[in-house]
Amino acid sequence: MKIIESFEHIKTPWISRLSKRFVSGEDLREDFEQSLREFFHYIKQALETGDSAWLDTVLDDWVHSRTQSDLEDKQSSLTPIVNQIMLETSDVAQEFLDADDALALNSALLPIFFYSSEYVSRQETAMHIDHIAKELEKANATLESLDKNKSDFIAIAAHELKTPLTLIEGYAAMLRDQVSNVGELNQVRLLLKGIDNGTLRLREIINDMIDVSLIDNNLLSLNFQPVWLNRLLKVISDEHLGVIQDRQLEFEIVQFPGISEMTFGDEERLYQAFRNLISNSIKYTPDYGTITIHGRKLPGFVEVTIADSGIGIDPEDHSRIFEKFGRIGSVSLHSSGKTKYKGGGPGLGLPITKGILEAHGGAIWVESPGYDEENCPGSTFHVLLPIRKVPPDSKTAKLFHPLIDQEEIEGT
Ligand code: ADP
């Protein structure tokens, strides 16, 4: 018997055997038998033409009819079903054909079934990858919206806190005026000082929240002007003289090459960044410790290091401290304060510092052997800042033209 005839000969038992094998309910059986008839038809076409690609359409239909839960269930796959159809076909052929015809038919069907199995598995893998990519996209979108919500919340909360704060500041100022008229009321003055300190701290926190939200949304705009690092660092160190003396700290700014060079930057923002680093170094160094500001000039950059002999930072926290609210759980904080030993803060200082330095095209990182309050291994913060001889925008460049020329003459 010819191969096509043999195949036609087993059609009816083949369909009935497979439908019994794979489907239990009568109502579903009819649909399945219809698919099998279609499959049979395309296998026959493949046998006649020698081209297994005839099966692509029906196999595509099978693969794409899979449901979402099929895709999520990694165990469920069509490939073993195709393999089982191949085995059943071989059984039916042996049962309903004589041995030679069965052997001839099975040999002719073998490459077609292998093709089908391989095709189904390839399509399924592509669908799984597609499904995973879509799930990832969804997860990313959720994450992005969460991050945006958080950032929106910070901006709104900061804005909303500002109004009542301004009211408290205003009334406290009015009260102060009244008190100075009355004269003696020392007790009231003391209370007023308390309100002043509280409002000042609250304003700092609100400003930090606003800065974080500006940085998060890439809205931090820099106001470029000439900056001299030595002057900036001196102003900050002078501001801290009181606490340095009180806490008997040894504080030194080493005059390294590059420290006195003019560079264009946002003076106010750079002051804020270095003040955060210096007040942290004071805050996390016990009394009688040392803080040294050093650095070096590199091609196109200046590197400033702020080294302290404080409690140190575990290597695993070296990047976390630059993230929002990245306070470290292991550090036991004493009180809220800018420079008190281990005085806690909201954990926004370093992310803001990083945002400011990165907006300047710079970078920041920390080196520390680890966190140890007994032995105080210390921490060194490194700041890399590009030296800009010309401001980035033409308007500022025009404004500072004479100064730039002067620098060029001095530089040559
Ligand atoms: P905070 O307001 O808590 O000081 P920061 O963002 O300035 O927030 O710092 C984040 C955390 O990094 C701090 O809570 C502290 O644990 C750690 N840290 C920062 N600077 C130092 C330092 N010089 N030595 C030790 N730990 C530090």
Side-chain angles (χ1 to χ4, degrees), residues 249-384:
L249 297 166
E250 208 177 290
F251 189 96
E252 189 190 4
I253 301 178
V254 179
Q255 296 301 309
F256 61 88
I259 192 172
S260 53
E261 222 169 283
M262 187 277 281
T263 174
F264 275 91
D266 187 321
E267 192 176 26
E268 220 172 292
R269 290 295 186 185
L270 287 176
Y271 161 82
Q272 186 183 359
F274 281 106
R275 195 196 46 195
N276 277 343
L277 294 173
I278 291 173
S279 60
N280 271 353
S281 69
I282 294 174
K283 198 158 78 168
Y284 296 104
T285 300
D287 297 359
Y288 307 103
T290 58
I291 292 154
T292 312
I293 300 179
H294 207 323
R296 58 183 171 152
K297 196 175 161 187
L298 298 164
F301 284 88
V302 62
E303 184 184 356
V304 183
T305 51
I306 296 114
D308 62 52
S309 63
I311 58 177
I313 303 164
D314 263 343
E316 64 186 43
D317 292 322
H318 285 186
S319 57
R320 210 179 70 195
I321 54 169
F322 294 104
E323 287 165 20
K324 262 177 297 181
F325 309 111
R327 261 166 56 170
I328 304 165
S330 52
V331 180
S332 52
L333 300 172
H334 287 165
S335 57
S336 182
K338 280 244 149 214
T339 45
K340 278 187 193 154
Y341 179 46
K342 294 197 293 172
L348 295 174
L350 287 179
I352 294 171
T353 302
K354 181 170 179 259
I356 292 173
L357 294 169
E358 285 179 352
H360 277 83
I364 180 166
W365 69 97
V366 67
E367 275 177 354
S368 174
Y371 163 68
D372 183 346
E373 290 197 24
E374 297 261 304
N375 299 309
C376 285
S379 315
T380 302
F381 281 81
H382 294 252
V383 170
L384 205 57

